[in-house]
């Protein structure tokens, strides 16, 4: 259950916080997925693509930790 408290009647800030929490928990993605029927073959293809994306991201992080590829530098303002 997602709870957001509105502080000092600032609804805009509370709405931004709600959207951020929903996105982090994957609720928005699930709502979009449930909006229309997804054939089993399409689901299988999507899940395989997500697995490949996760594996590549993990490999990239490991390579950055080991120093094989440079990590992104943070911008200073």
């Amino acid at each position: 259950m997602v709870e957001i408290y509105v502080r000092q009647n600032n609804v805009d800030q509370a709405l931004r916080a709600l959207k951020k929490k929903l996105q982090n928990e994957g609720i928005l993605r699930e709502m979009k997925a449930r909006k229309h029927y997804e054939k089993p073959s399409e689901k299988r293809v999507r899940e395989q693509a997500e697995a490949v994306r996760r594996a590549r991201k993990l490999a990239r992080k490991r390579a950055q930790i080991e120093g094989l590829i440079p990590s992104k530098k943070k911008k200073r303002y």
Side-chain angles (χ1 to χ4, degrees), residues 28-70:
L28 292 177
R29 180 182 291 173
E30 186 176 343
M31 284 173 44
K32 286 181 183 180
R34 289 177 184 245
K35 200 171 189 178
H36 301 288
Y37 177 73
E38 185 177 25
K39 290 174 28 180
S41 61
E42 293 172 347
K43 182 178 178 182
R44 192 168 37 249
V45 168
R46 178 183 51 80
E47 288 177 349
Q48 287 175 350
E50 288 174 359
V52 167
R53 205 173 303 121
R54 281 193 309 270
R56 285 183 181 161
K57 185 176 181 180
L58 182 61
R60 186 170 50 247
K61 280 187 175 184
R62 285 184 181 161
Q64 286 176 349
I65 290 171
E66 293 173 1
L68 299 175
I69 59 174

Side-chain angles (χ1 to χ4, degrees), residues 18-32:
L18 175 65
K19 287 181 180 180
K20 192 172 188 178
K21 279 192 175 186
L22 291 176
Q23 188 173 14
N24 287 343
E25 292 185 11
I27 295 174
L28 292 177
R29 180 182 291 173
E30 186 176 343
M31 284 173 44
K32 286 181 183 180

